[in-house]
Amino acid sequence: MSPALRRKLLALAERHEEVGRLLATPDVVADPAKFRALSREFTQLEPVAAALAREAALQADRREAEAMLADPDLRAMAEDELPALREALAALDDELTLLLVPKDPRDEGNLFLEIRAGTGGDEAAIFAGDLFRMYARYAERQGWRVEVQSANPGEHGGFKEIVARIEGRGAYSKLKYESGTHRVQRVPETEAQGRIHTSAATVAILPELEDVAEVTIHPADLKVDTFRSSGAGGQHVNKTESAIRITHLPSGLVVECQTERSQHANRDKAMQRLKSALYEQQVAAQQAATAASRRLQVGSGDRSQRIRTWNFPQGRVTDHRVEGLTLYALPQILDGDLEPLLARLAEEDRADALRALSDGG
């Protein structure tokens, strides 16, 4: 580990001690918001402090073993102990380096999944439906809850657009790399001559924020429309216009919700998603300015980048952001077995972050 990275680790350990002292002060204890924020920071810094403490203990053991080499009676024991101690210190050095990678505070939270049919007409809508089923099945395997907030079905199946909320611990950390354009190459069922068609669907992953109070939305900037829900609900959906569509005029963002029976409940859910989307726009602009070299920029919900090709004739899934990332397991992945793909993307993102840390150090 470079001296610069070591200094960063020691600074984090010092901050851990400082936060621990602050949490015991009356002023912080009396302020719930400040106490909650500092408690979260203390928990995030705890692994660094614990790993440095383990390293100090191992280094002490190694020095003691090295001193034993000078004693003929203890030399054999020291020679037995030293290789394991050095191996443990090397592994801990790698662990400490990984701990320097900044944690995304949104990783443990829920998310909004937005899928829209792109180029390709009916086939694009059908593929959008395939993608939604894939994410829903993956969520089911993880024990997460999927709640559809709005859906616009395609004429021949699938969806022109579907928006869902996925609730589950760590959901955002797993799916945050999915934002972008997904291209599909396959023979549509309606193609009589067996020709391969290319179409696309776009995916956006937006974290559901715990606290979006800092996002200010002026009522004059909103256009609110009501309409009859197209979802389940029996006769109720035919009698009342409970579904809500909110347009944020300055940004052009449009959100809908039609899952609840009351306008008020649908409006609350739509406003929550609008605030998350506006906040993500701010974060994305900052990330684009400071991390342009990252191959796996996440969190922006950017649908302009083509990230993946799904080739049905070859059973192939290729992610274009990572060199050599091609898996010949398309049916399994589309059935919800996303873990091999997501794990590789997370690994590459950590490697990028470590390179950025080293270059910055």
Side-chain angles (χ1 to χ4, degrees):
M1 183 185 301
S2 71
L5 294 183
R6 174 67 59 177
R7 286 193 295 271
K8 291 178 182 178
L9 277 172
L10 294 176
L12 291 175
E14 290 175 5
R15 175 61 180 167
H16 178 261
E17 290 185 12
E18 180 186 6
V19 172
R21 290 193 296 269
L22 288 171
L23 284 169
T25 61
D27 289 346
V28 171
V29 172
D31 186 336
K34 186 178 290 185
F35 185 83
R36 186 165 55 250
L38 286 173
S39 296
R40 189 181 298 117
E41 184 181 1
F42 186 84
T43 300
Q44 290 171 350
L45 293 171
E46 184 68 30
V48 174
L52 283 172
R54 293 202 310 275
E55 183 188 52
L58 284 171
Q59 287 174 339
D61 291 343
R62 184 186 63 183
R63 288 193 295 270
E64 183 179 344
E66 288 172 344
M68 290 164 56
L69 291 172
D71 188 330
D73 295 332
L74 300 175
R75 183 179 182 87
M77 183 186 300
E79 289 176 342
D80 286 341
E81 292 180 357
L82 276 170
L85 288 169
R86 288 168 180 154
E87 183 178 341
L89 280 167
L92 196 51
D93 191 76
D94 292 339
E95 179 183 336
L96 283 165
T97 303
L98 282 175
L99 286 172
L100 278 172
V101 176
K103 295 287 190 297
D104 189 335
R106 305 168 296 179
D107 273 355
E108 291 303 305
N110 309 323
L111 60 90
F112 295 107
L113 166 67
E114 303 179 355
I115 304 176
R116 294 175 177 86
T119 56
D122 292 336
E123 176 64 14
I126 293 170
F127 181 55
D130 292 339
L131 289 177
F132 176 72
R133 282 189 293 276
M134 175 185 72
Y135 294 125
R137 286 169 180 167
Y138 178 72
E140 182 181 358
R141 294 184 183 194
Q142 304 299 311
W144 301 337
R145 180 171 173 262
V146 178
E147 175 193 24
V148 175
Q149 293 199 334
S150 65
N152 183 6
E155 293 180 8
H156 298 281
F159 299 98
K160 295 177 181 177
E161 175 182 298
I162 183 165
V163 176
R165 175 178 177 269
I166 297 182
E167 178 184 345
R169 184 172 182 180
Y172 182 72
S173 69
K174 291 286 191 178
L175 293 178
K176 62 184 179 181
Y177 306 108
E178 293 301 292
S179 290
T181 297
H182 295 241
R183 184 178 66 172
V184 61
Q185 297 170 328
R186 64 181 172 188
V187 179
E189 292 182 5
T190 55
E191 171 56 56
Q193 299 181 18
R195 292 176 297 186
I196 296 174
H197 285 220
T198 298
S199 55
T202 61
V203 174
I205 303 291
L206 301 176
E208 180 186 57
L209 306 178
E210 288 184 7
D211 183 11
V212 289
E214 59 193 274
V215 177
T216 302
I217 298 179
H218 300 290
D221 291 338
L222 300 178
K223 179 178 179 240
V224 180
D225 298 307
T226 60
F227 59 99
R228 292 182 181 178
S229 172
S230 60
Q235 295 180 347
H236 167 78
V237 297
N238 298 319
K239 294 180 179 178
T240 63
E241 293 192 343
S242 59
I244 290 287
R245 180 185 299 111
I246 300 177
T247 304
H248 185 250
L249 299 174
S251 66
L253 285 171
V254 180
V255 295
E256 293 181 1
C257 188
Q258 55 181 296
T259 57
E260 302 300 323
R261 285 181 171 266
S262 75
Q263 277 189 18
H264 181 75
N266 281 326
R267 182 188 174 97
D268 285 347
K269 286 188 173 184
M271 284 297 295
Q272 171 73 14
R273 188 153 63 87
L274 177 60
K275 286 185 175 183
S276 288
L278 287 171
Y279 183 82
E280 279 304 291
Q281 279 193 344
Q282 299 171 13
V283 171
Q286 295 169 358
Q287 288 179 341
T290 60
S293 63
R294 293 284 293 277
R295 292 171 296 160
L296 294 173
Q297 291 188 50
V298 298
S300 65
D302 181 15
R303 295 181 290 273
S304 63
Q305 180 190 11
R306 189 188 74 189
I307 64 167
R308 194 171 297 151
T309 294
W310 303 77
N311 185 296
F312 275 70
Q314 298 177 14
R316 168 174 60 84
V317 180
T318 297
D319 196 290
H320 303 291
R321 295 165 294 179
V322 179
E323 184 177 357
L325 182 44
T326 293
L327 300 177
Y328 288 89
L330 187 150
Q332 296 91 326
I333 295 172
L334 208 57
D335 193 46
D337 187 14
L338 274 164
E339 200 59 41
L341 185 59
L342 299 181
R344 178 70 184 278
L345 290 168
E347 180 184 333
E348 291 292 331
D349 194 38
R350 284 194 298 270
D352 273 356
L354 286 174
R355 279 191 289 271
L357 273 173
S358 300
D359 293 343

